[in-house]
Amino acid sequence: MIKEMSFWKWLGLLVAALFLALLMYGCAGMVDLAPHGWVYSAACLAVSAVMVWIYARFVRWFEGAKPQDLPLNKLASHTGLGLGIGLGYFCVVTGLMALLGGYTLTGWGASAKELVSMFCYFAIVAVGEEIMFRGVLFRWIDEKWGFWWAIGISALVFGLIHITNPGGTLWSSIAIAIEAGLLLGAAYKWSGTLWVPIGIHWAWNYSQGNIFGFAVSGQAAGESLLHAQMQGSDWLTGGIFGAEASVVAVVVGLLVSAWFIWRISRR
């Protein structure tokens, strides 16, 4: 259906998707009314599920078809795969950073309540952003103009929206576009589901902030399991923006993205 639309109808549908984004972010804002704890965690997971439902209804209403990228039989396996990739990515990035002298472990320990609360909170971030940038923007461009336009434009837009974050710069936006925008778009195309990029994004933010103790896109993530000191130049550590602005993260992300794109090209 998307491929056969006129450009202006397609553009109108994209404008409608902006209201979808506002609706989802409104839902996400509701959890801020509750203090961190078990109720907060349950609310975050519930809001994430509601976002998925809203997206499914949006596709049915505006595209007249059941969404193909939300197969329930792959929910657990593909989300788990994505979580593993996201966690593995930051294990590698942090390990390389430590070898280069930019990350020194100084201790560990955090409250279980805070760790669980932030894990559930980052589910909302991952679900909301992946629906908009991969489920809508990437998929619609891919269906209308092809994979390379889709991955390039969606990655660029995804990077640029982070420039308004605390400590955001043109470089940090370019870094996110390369390491995350390309990776998440390629993972979505390769898997055919939103579950894999949601899992990657979810573990990416959580492991960066609440396991290894970096800022997450310029914002403090609260308590972290590991306590560390970052030293050295910003190109190595990412500075106040977090590890996402590190050259190490860009190189690792580019390599993983290349692997996914290679697998796509072999089909």
Side-chain angles (χ1 to χ4, degrees):
M1 176 185 173
I2 298 295
K3 187 175 183 179
E4 298 166 354
M5 280 184 183
S6 68
F7 172 76
W8 294 110
K9 186 174 182 180
W10 179 87
L11 190 61
L13 190 57
L14 194 61
V15 171
L18 295 177
F19 289 96
L20 170 66
L22 292 174
L23 179 60
M24 289 194 301
Y25 280 114
C27 290
M30 293 172 60
V31 300
D32 290 334
L33 301 176
H36 285 194
W38 308 120
V39 173
Y40 177 88
S41 300
C44 287
L45 295 179
V47 167
S48 299
V50 169
M51 284 180 168
V52 172
W53 180 83
I54 291 173
Y55 170 67
R57 298 308 306 170
F58 179 85
V59 173
R60 281 184 176 273
W61 290 334
F62 288 93
E63 299 181 39
K66 180 181 178 181
Q68 300 300 306
D69 51 7
L70 295 175
L72 291 179
N73 64 328
K74 295 182 178 180
L75 169 59
S77 61
H78 277 205
T79 304
L81 174 62
L83 288 168
I85 293 171
L87 174 60
Y89 172 89
F90 262 100
C91 285
V92 172
V93 168
T94 307
L96 290 173
M97 200 177 291
L99 288 174
L100 293 171
Y103 183 94
T104 302
L105 194 63
T106 60
W108 68 282
S111 71
K113 182 174 71 174
E114 183 68 13
L115 291 177
V116 172
S117 292
M118 290 309 298
F119 182 75
C120 295
Y121 165 75
F122 279 124
I124 293 179
V125 177
V127 169
E129 293 190 0
E130 290 314 302
I131 283 174
M132 290 311 306
F133 288 97
R134 259 56 66 176
V136 175
L137 186 61
F138 177 96
R139 180 171 60 85
W140 288 359
I141 297 175
D142 184 31
E143 291 182 13
K144 194 162 185 66
W145 290 299
F147 171 72
W148 292 109
W149 282 106
I151 198 168
I153 293 174
S154 64
L156 183 61
V157 174
F158 185 66
L160 288 176
I161 65 159
H162 290 84
I163 200 168
T164 59
N165 286 31
T169 63
L170 180 59
W171 161 247
S172 66
S173 295
I174 292 172
I176 288 180
I178 295 172
E179 73 202 16
L182 295 180
L183 170 56
L184 293 167
Y188 176 67
K189 181 70 173 182
W190 171 78
S191 66
T193 77
L194 273 169
W195 309 128
V196 172
I198 283 173
I200 294 173
H201 198 150
W202 188 354
W204 174 298
N205 284 341
Y206 182 72
S207 59
Q208 180 181 196
N210 300 102
I211 294 180
F212 295 112
F214 293 100
V216 179
S217 300
Q219 302 183 60
E223 296 183 36
S224 62
L225 181 62
L226 302 179
H227 307 163
Q229 179 180 347
M230 291 71 170
Q231 60 268 333
S233 60
D234 287 355
W235 73 263
L236 176 61
T237 66
I240 61 173
F241 193 79
E244 291 165 320
S246 164
V247 170
V248 176
V250 172
V251 171
V252 175
L254 194 56
L255 290 174
V256 180
S257 301
W259 183 85
F260 273 116
I261 292 171
W262 173 73
R263 290 296 300 271
I264 294 166
S265 69
R266 287 176 60 84
R267 291 178 179 172

